[in-house]
Amino acid sequence: MVGKSKGLRISLMVLVYALLALTVLAMLVPYIWMLSSSLKLNKDVFTFPMQWIPANPRWENFQDIWTRIPLGRFIYNTAKLSVIVTILQLLTSSFAAYAFSKLHFRGKNTIFLGYIATIAIPWQAYMVPQFILMRYMGLNNTHLSIILLQAFSAFGVFMMRQFYQGVPDELCEAARIDGLSEYGIWARIMLPLSKPALSTLTIFTFVSTWNDFLGPMIYLTDTKLKTIQIGLRMFISQYSAEYGLIMAASVVSIIPVVIVFLSLQRYFVQGVAASGIKG
């Protein structure tokens, strides 16, 4: 009876691992197809049956993408926006989360609920008023418009507050008795303790800013200001598209995202679990 139960448990584990392997494979297929297509001519990208390993890899695609469009400028603009927005969101989100979590002031819960409720409003619903406001301020076609619009995040505040809720209030009380100001408690106690949550927010913010397409498309019209997601469209003309070059540039564009994720992934699961964010 014991042997039968053990065999059933092993079979179940094998089935679970097989399903996980299939899921991972299904998620990796688009990236493998992108990498394979980046080494092909246009006419070979959509051939059927699919040739996963090109017989004659066209490495020239990775040279041409730097000369056909100002890819270096686009990568610089994207990195600049992603780094600045990420740093600002870390500062504003952690600072606001500390106030909502550890300070006591009138209407705190009402203000917090009102602020968090904005997460449910899709950006498409208010992007036109935002655009009119930015145009009125003379910030259209500038990086500053995107930085200002993305420097604050209700999701970031919510995530950081959930993490700070797990920090004992007695720790802050002891620091106040020792003479630390609220700014000092935030900077010297809360921030060092919140590395997992900050790392998770860094990944979310950096990736979303790096991959943002709609925002730069609306606000940036000058070629020298465009980001890489907008720049990829320059490989598409009115009558054709150079898919091999698009895939090669896409491979290059995901490298910084992979580096950021791998450098912070050891904190990622811990940060998600500690802050209670799922999905």
Side-chain angles (χ1 to χ4, degrees):
M1 188 68 180
V2 175
K4 186 177 180 181
S5 176
K6 185 178 179 181
L8 182 62
R9 189 167 61 250
I10 292 175
S11 300
L12 185 61
M13 291 296 295
V14 170
L15 179 62
V16 170
Y17 279 110
L19 289 175
L20 289 175
L22 287 175
T23 303
V24 171
L25 182 62
M27 297 182 69
L28 287 178
V29 163
Y31 295 97
I32 298 173
W33 182 81
M34 178 179 68
L35 184 60
S36 173
S37 300
S38 69
L39 300 173
K40 295 178 179 177
L41 293 169
N42 276 344
K43 63 183 182 63
D44 298 328
V45 170
F46 296 106
T47 55
F48 186 82
M50 174 76 181
Q51 187 178 15
W52 292 99
I53 301 178
N56 297 306
R58 193 175 188 282
W59 297 102
E60 292 82 1
N61 284 346
F62 286 93
Q63 297 178 353
D64 294 343
I65 57 177
W66 299 95
T67 55
R68 298 287 296 277
I69 64 173
L71 187 63
R73 165 60 66 175
F74 295 154
I75 291 177
Y76 169 78
N77 291 336
T78 312
K80 170 188 168 185
L81 290 174
S82 301
V83 170
I84 293 176
V85 168
T86 301
I87 292 174
L88 289 177
Q89 277 206 22
L90 291 178
L91 288 174
T92 58
S93 297
S94 61
F95 205 60
Y98 174 74
F100 284 125
S101 176
K102 299 301 178 187
L103 299 184
H104 302 283
F105 53 90
R106 182 178 296 178
K108 181 178 73 172
N109 292 332
T110 304
I111 296 173
F112 177 71
L113 288 176
Y115 187 49
I116 294 303
T118 61
I119 297 177
I121 304 174
W123 183 56
Q124 289 80 2
Y126 56 86
M127 66 180 183
V128 173
Q130 274 189 342
F131 178 80
I132 295 173
L133 177 63
M134 289 293 120
R135 187 177 60 183
Y136 178 78
M137 296 170 65
L139 295 178
N140 277 0
N141 200 27
T142 65
H143 285 164
L144 185 59
S145 59
I146 295 178
I147 292 172
L148 289 177
L149 292 175
Q150 300 187 10
F152 308 93
S153 167
F155 170 77
V157 174
F158 173 73
M159 197 187 76
M160 293 302 300
R161 179 183 177 274
Q162 294 300 99
F163 184 86
Y164 286 161
Q165 290 286 83
V167 177
D169 292 338
E170 291 78 7
L171 198 60
C172 298
E173 294 294 338
R176 292 188 184 102
I177 293 174
D178 289 341
L180 269 183
S181 65
E182 298 300 336
Y183 298 102
I185 297 173
W186 170 74
R188 300 177 63 178
I189 295 179
M190 302 304 286
L191 284 185
L193 289 175
S194 57
K195 284 182 182 177
L198 291 173
S199 300
T200 305
L201 183 59
T202 298
I203 292 175
F204 283 144
T205 306
F206 186 88
V207 172
S208 64
T209 308
W210 186 277
N211 292 327
D212 187 19
F213 176 80
L214 193 55
M217 188 179 70
I218 292 174
Y219 287 98
L220 305 178
T221 56
D222 196 337
T223 300
K224 67 180 181 182
L225 296 176
K226 290 181 178 179
T227 62
I228 191 169
Q229 305 303 334
I230 305 299
L232 290 178
R233 295 181 71 248
M234 297 175 71
F235 289 120
I236 302 174
S237 63
Q238 185 175 1
Y239 301 105
S240 64
E242 299 178 89
Y243 293 107
L245 298 182
I246 292 174
M247 295 303 156
S250 299
V251 170
V252 173
S253 72
I254 67 171
I255 291 176
V257 176
V258 173
I259 292 174
V260 170
F261 180 78
L262 291 180
S263 61
L264 299 175
Q265 58 92 21
R266 62 173 177 159
Y267 295 113
F268 181 71
V269 175
Q270 185 181 353
V272 170
S275 57
I277 305 298
K278 298 179 179 179

